C-alpha cells in the first residue's frame, strides 16, 4: 500500500492526448486503446471528455502540442502579443534568441501599460513551454544566394528526400500547390515604368491593388476557385451583384492574412471531406501560412524557404500566364474603346475580378503540367524547349495587340509587353505586422475585414452594375445567337456554351413563373 501511495503520477502532453483520441476515432475499441497507451479506462474517458478543450488550444496555437498543462499566462495579453510577433519573425527565418524575445516582451508590455512586468528567464522558459518553442539559431537565407552551391544543394536534397516521401501516397490529381499574387488591376500600359518594382506597402497605390490566391493540382485537371482580397468589403460596383466567379474578402491592406488563409483552408478541407478525398497541399512559408488550423483531409507540405523561385509550380509560369491573359483582356478593352473614340474609364473591382477569373480558367492544362514538371515535383520528361513554351505562351497575337495599343497610347519604346505583365510581380502579398498593429489587435480585437470602408468614396465615381431583368438577359442571348449566325467559322464549342447559358436562363425564368403560379393558387384557396 505504501508503494502504491508513492507511485508517481504520469502527465501527458497535448500531442499524446490527441494521439489517444485519434486512436479511438480510428475505430479501435476503448479497452484496446487504453492498453496500447498504458492508461486506465477512467483516464481515457477524461481525455475524450476534454478533447474539445485541448484541440481548440492547439488549433489556435495558443499552446504547443508538447504542453502537458493548459494553464494561461499571468499576463495573457503580453503573452499573445509576443507570440504574434514571434510568428511573424519565425516565418521569415530570422535569428531569434532568448534575450531578443525578452527585450521584445518588455517593449510590448510597456505599450500595453504594464510597468511592473519583468521578462525574466523564468518567464521566457514558461513562454517557450506554453507555445512549444525551441530557440534554434536560424539565420534567414539571402535570396541572392539561391543559385550558389548552398542553394542548389538545398533544392537537390529536397528533390531527393522530402518531396519523394510527401508525394508517395498521392496521385497527381491529389497533389496541389497554392500561392498568392498581387495585381495592380487598374494599371495602364503607359504607367508601366512607374509601377515596376513597387512593393506597395501602403498609400494611394494600395487602393489600386488586389491580392489573388490560386490553387491547382499537378495533373492540371483541377483549378480551384480563386480567392481575391480587396480593400473595401462592399465596393460601389458590387451593388445588385449576388454572384461572383471567385471568393472575395477584404481588409484595409488588400493583403493575405493568417485568418483569411486559414478560412480558405478550412473550406477546402470541408469540400475534400464531402468528396471523401485526401490531398497534399504544397505551400511556401510566407507570414500568412505559418500557423495553420487542424485539418482532416489536407496534408500540408512546406516548400524550402527562399527556393520557391525554382520549386513552386505556380511561380514557374502558371501565375505568369494568368497575368498575360489578364493584361491581354485589358488591352482588348482599351483598343475597343480607342476604335470607338470612347473615353478611357478606370477598371473597377468587379470588372477586374471577372477578368482575373476568366484568365485563370483560361490557363491551359498543358501549361500547368509543364510547370509542375519544371519544378521537379512530378517525375516526368521535361525538355528545355518545353520550358521556353511555358515562358512564351501566348505569343504572336498578343504582341500585335500590344503594339497597336502602345502606339495609340504613347507608351515609351523601351517598355514591352513583358514589362507590362511583370510590373506588379514584386508586390507584397501577405500582411507583415508591426508592434502597433499587434497591440491594437490585443487591445481592441479589431476585425480587419471590416476595414476599408474609406474606399467607398473612391468607387462612387465608377458606374454601378445596372439591374438587368431576366427578360433582358434572354433577349441578349438571342441577339448574340443572331450575330454569331452571320459570322463564318464559329467553333461548335461557342454555340454549345451559348446553349448552356440559354438553358440556365430559361430554367430560371420557368422556375420563377412556376413558383408565382403556385403562390397565386394557394392564395386563392
Amino acid at each position: 500500500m505504501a508503494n502504491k501511495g508513492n507511485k508517481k503520477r504520469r502527465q501527458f502532453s497535448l500531442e499524446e492526448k490527441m494521439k489517444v483520441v485519434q486512436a479511438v476515432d480510428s475505430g479501435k475499441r476503448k479497452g484496446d486503446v487504453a492498453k496500447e497507451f498504458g492508461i486506465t479506462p477512467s483516464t481515457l474517458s477524461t481525455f475524450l471528455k476534454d478533447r474539445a478543450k485541448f484541440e481548440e488550444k492547439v488549433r489556435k496555437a495558443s499552446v504547443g502540442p508538447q504542453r502537458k498543462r493548459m494553464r494561461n499566462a499571468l499576463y495573457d495579453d503580453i503573452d499573445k502579443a509576443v507570440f504574434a510577433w514571434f510568428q511573424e519573425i519565425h516565418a521569415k527565418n530570422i535569428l531569434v534568441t532568448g534575450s531578443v524575445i525578452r527585450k521584445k516582451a518588455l517593449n510590448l508590455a510597456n505599450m500595453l501599460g504594464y510597468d511592473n512586468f519583468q521578462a525574466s528567464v523564468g518567464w521566457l522558459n514558461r513562454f517557450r513551454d506554453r507555445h512549444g518553442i525551441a530557440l534554434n539559431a536560424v539565420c534567414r537565407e539571402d535570396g541572392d544566394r539561391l543559385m550558389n552551391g548552398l542553394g542548389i544543394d538545398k533544392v537537390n536534397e529536397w528533390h531527393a528526400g522530402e518531396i519523394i516521401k510527401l508525394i508517395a501516397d498521392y496521385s497527381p490529381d491529389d497533389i496541389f500547390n497554392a500561392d498568392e499574387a498581387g495585381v495592380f488591376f487598374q494599371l495602364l500600359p503607359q504607367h508601366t515604368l512607374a509601377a515596376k518594382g513597387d512593393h506597395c506597402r501602403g498609400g494611394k497605390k494600395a487602393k489600386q491593388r488586389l491580392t489573388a490566391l490560386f490553387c491547382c493540382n499537378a495533373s492540371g485537371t483541377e483549378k480551384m476557385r480563386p480567392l481575391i482580397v480587396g480593400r473595401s468589403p462592399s465596393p460601389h460596383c458590387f451593388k445588385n451583384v449576388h454572384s461572383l466567379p471567385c471568393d472575395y474578402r477584404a481588409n484595409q491592406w488588400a493583403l493575405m492574412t493568417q485568418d483569411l488563409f486559414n478560412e480558405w483552408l478550412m473550406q477546402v478541407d470541408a469540400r475534400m471531406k464531402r468528396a471523401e478525398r485526401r490531398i497534399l497541399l504544397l505551400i511556401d512559408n510566407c507570414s500568412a501560412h505559418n500557423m495553420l488550423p487542424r485539418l482532416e483531409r489536407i496534408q500540408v507540405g512546406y516548400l524550402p524557404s527562399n527556393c520557391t523561385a525554382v520549386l513552386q509550380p505556380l511561380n514557374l509560369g502558371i501565375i505568369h500566364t494568368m497575368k498575360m491573359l489578364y493584361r491581354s483582356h485589358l488591352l482588348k478593352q482599351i483598343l475597343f474603346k480607342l476604335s470607338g473614340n470612347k473615353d478611357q474609364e478606370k477598371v473597377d473591382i468587379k470588372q477586374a475580378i471577372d477578368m482575373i477569373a476568366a484568365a485563370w480558367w483560361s490557363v491551359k492544362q498543358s501549361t500547368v503540367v509543364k510547370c509542375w514538371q519544371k519544378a521537379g515535383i512530378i517525375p516526368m520528361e521535361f525538355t528545355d524547349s518545353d520550358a521556353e513554351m511555358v515562358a512564351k505562351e501566348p505569343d504572336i497575337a498578343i504582341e500585335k495587340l500590344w503594339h497597336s495599343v502602345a502606339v495609340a497610347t504613347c507608351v515609351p519604346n523601351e517598355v514591352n509587353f513583358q514589362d507590362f505583365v511583370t510590373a506588379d510581380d514584386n508586390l507584397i502579398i501577405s500582411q507583415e505586422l508591426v508592434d502597433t498593429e499587434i497591440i491594437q489587435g490585443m487591445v481592441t480585437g479589431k476585425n480587419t475585414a471590416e476595414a476599408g470602408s474609406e474606399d467607398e468614396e473612391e468607387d462612387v465615381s465608377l458606374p454601378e452594375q445596372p439591374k438587368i431583368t431576366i427578360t433582358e438577359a434572354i433577349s441578349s442571348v438571342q441577339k448574340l445567337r443572331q450575330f454569331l449566325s452571320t459570322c463564318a467559322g464559329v467553333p461548335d464549342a461557342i454555340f454549345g456554351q451559348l446553349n448552356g447559358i440559354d438553358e440556365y436562363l430559361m430554367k430560371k425564368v420557368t422556375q420563377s413563373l412556376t413558383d408565382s403560379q403556385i403562390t397565386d393558387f394557394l392564395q386563392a384557396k
Side-chain angles (χ1 to χ4, degrees):
M1 292 295 291
N3 290 337
K4 185 175 181 180
N6 293 331
K7 185 178 179 181
K8 186 176 179 180
R9 181 181 178 185
R10 180 183 174 187
Q11 290 188 326
F12 294 85
S13 68
L14 295 177
E15 185 178 36
E16 291 171 327
K17 293 177 182 178
M18 288 194 300
K19 286 182 179 179
V20 172
V21 172
Q22 289 168 358
V24 175
D25 290 344
S26 68
K28 294 182 179 179
R29 294 177 55 189
K30 293 181 180 179
D32 295 337
V33 172
K35 290 180 182 178
E36 179 183 346
F37 289 91
I39 59 178
T40 64
S42 61
T43 301
L44 175 59
S45 298
T46 302
F47 287 176
L48 294 174
K49 183 180 70 174
D50 294 339
R51 66 179 297 171
K53 293 180 182 178
F54 57 78
E55 282 181 350
E56 183 68 11
K57 286 281 185 180
V58 174
R59 187 184 71 81
K60 290 185 176 181
S62 59
V63 298
Q66 303 299 327
R67 278 284 305 282
K68 296 186 176 181
R69 295 186 179 182
M70 293 186 289
R71 185 179 301 159
N72 290 330
L74 179 61
Y75 295 96
D76 193 45
D77 45 356
I78 297 177
D79 187 272
K80 290 178 180 177
V82 175
F83 188 57
W85 164 82
F86 178 83
Q87 287 177 285
E88 188 76 19
I89 294 299
H90 186 262
K92 300 174 183 178
N93 291 331
I94 295 176
L95 174 65
V96 179
T97 63
S99 60
V100 170
I101 293 179
R102 291 170 63 192
K103 288 178 181 178
K104 177 56 68 173
L106 284 173
N107 182 36
L108 293 174
N110 288 332
M111 294 177 70
L112 285 166
Y114 291 100
D115 297 328
N116 298 324
F117 173 76
Q118 295 183 358
S120 63
V121 174
W123 173 86
L124 175 64
N125 290 334
R126 290 190 294 273
F127 174 79
R128 292 171 54 184
D129 290 342
R130 275 191 293 274
H131 299 286
I133 295 172
L135 296 179
N136 298 321
V138 180
C139 289
R140 185 177 184 179
E141 178 186 19
D142 188 348
D144 294 336
R145 296 165 56 204
L146 175 62
M147 297 316 295
N148 67 13
L150 177 61
I152 293 174
D153 289 344
K154 190 176 182 181
V155 171
N156 290 338
E157 181 182 347
W158 191 74
H159 276 148
E162 186 174 352
I163 188 57
I164 294 177
K165 295 177 183 178
L166 283 172
I167 68 175
D169 298 327
Y170 297 93
S171 73
D173 288 346
D174 295 325
I175 303 174
F176 287 80
N177 176 220
D179 192 30
E180 296 89 354
V183 180
F184 277 138
F185 67 94
Q186 293 180 332
L187 180 65
L188 297 175
Q190 58 268 35
H191 299 150
T192 298
L193 286 179
K196 197 166 183 65
D198 192 343
H199 294 284
C200 190
R201 287 184 167 88
K204 186 176 180 180
K205 283 189 177 179
K207 299 178 181 179
Q208 304 166 10
R209 64 157 294 157
L210 298 169
T211 298
L213 170 67
F214 301 104
C215 184
C216 63
N217 67 355
S219 64
T221 58
E222 188 173 351
K223 297 199 293 284
M224 293 190 185
R225 183 181 175 92
L227 169 62
I228 295 180
V229 184
R231 279 174 60 94
S232 176
S234 53
H236 193 65
C237 57
F238 277 16
K239 189 173 181 180
N240 298 325
V241 174
H242 302 289
S243 295
L244 291 171
C246 68
D247 294 324
Y248 179 81
R249 298 292 184 270
N251 57 50
Q252 64 186 15
W253 311 279
L255 295 174
M256 183 59 66
T257 64
Q258 285 184 14
D259 288 344
L260 291 181
F261 185 72
N262 287 349
E263 178 192 0
W264 176 82
L265 265 182
M266 295 296 289
Q267 290 173 351
V268 175
D269 192 58
R271 287 204 304 271
M272 295 303 149
K273 188 174 182 179
R274 289 194 296 269
E276 297 184 347
R277 291 177 65 186
R278 292 188 181 276
I279 65 170
L280 171 66
L281 178 66
L282 301 176
I283 57 176
D284 59 32
N285 63 346
C286 83
S287 57
H289 302 168
N290 65 8
M291 191 55 62
L292 306 182
R294 181 173 176 269
L295 303 168
E296 296 183 34
R297 299 288 176 151
I298 301 176
Q299 178 184 355
V300 174
Y302 282 101
L303 298 165
S305 59
N306 298 309
C307 293
T308 57
V310 294
L311 290 179
Q312 180 145 253
L314 281 162
N315 279 353
L316 292 174
I318 299 173
I319 288 178
H320 180 76
T321 301
M322 184 284 301
K323 285 192 174 183
M324 289 179 70
L325 294 169
Y326 173 75
R327 294 267 145 78
S328 70
H329 283 308
L330 282 178
L331 293 178
K332 290 171 186 175
Q333 281 196 357
I334 294 170
L335 189 61
F336 177 72
K337 290 177 180 178
L338 287 172
S339 65
N341 293 320
K342 296 180 180 179
D343 294 334
Q344 293 294 324
E345 296 177 349
K346 286 184 178 180
V347 173
D348 63 35
I349 293 177
K350 172 63 169 59
Q351 294 168 331
I353 284 174
D354 288 340
M355 288 190 288
I356 290 173
W360 173 240
W361 299 124
S362 298
V363 176
K364 296 178 181 178
Q365 179 181 357
S366 59
T367 300
V368 174
V369 172
K370 287 171 185 175
C371 291
W372 278 87
Q373 293 171 341
K374 187 177 179 182
I377 296 174
I378 303 301
M380 299 179 184
E381 292 185 4
F382 186 85
T383 65
D384 291 338
S385 60
D386 289 332
E388 293 174 3
M389 289 282 290
V390 171
K392 291 182 179 179
E393 178 185 17
D395 42 25
I396 300 175
I398 292 183
E399 289 295 343
K400 288 182 178 179
L401 177 62
W402 166 258
H403 179 72
S404 299
V405 174
V407 170
T409 57
C410 301
V411 175
N413 292 332
E414 64 268 27
V415 178
N416 58 36
F417 179 63
Q418 286 303 318
D419 293 327
F420 186 44
V421 171
T422 61
D424 45 18
D425 279 2
N426 292 325
L427 289 184
I428 299 296
I429 51 89
S430 61
Q431 178 190 7
E432 297 183 8
L433 296 177
V434 296
D435 289 352
T436 53
E437 290 169 342
I438 292 172
I439 297 302
Q440 187 177 34
M442 296 303 106
V443 175
T444 65
K446 180 179 179 181
N447 181 2
T448 59
E450 295 177 358
S453 58
E454 63 189 56
D455 298 328
E456 289 299 323
E457 295 180 4
E458 192 83 7
D459 286 334
V460 170
S461 61
L462 298 174
E464 68 180 50
Q465 294 291 318
K467 188 170 181 61
I468 300 174
T469 65
I470 188 73
T471 303
E472 291 172 332
I474 293 173
S475 176
S476 297
V477 173
Q478 293 172 347
K479 288 180 181 179
L480 184 56
R481 195 188 300 277
Q482 290 173 359
F483 169 76
L484 290 175
S485 67
T486 65
C487 301
V490 178
D492 291 341
I494 298 297
F495 285 110
Q497 293 167 356
L498 198 59
N499 290 336
I501 296 173
D502 191 30
E503 182 179 347
Y504 171 79
L505 293 174
M506 293 305 296
K507 181 178 180 181
K508 192 173 181 64
V509 73
T510 302
Q511 183 65 46
S512 178
L513 290 172
T514 304
D515 292 344
S516 63
Q517 289 176 359
I518 292 174
T519 302
D520 293 342
F521 174 77
L522 292 175
Q523 288 176 348
K525 283 287 187 180

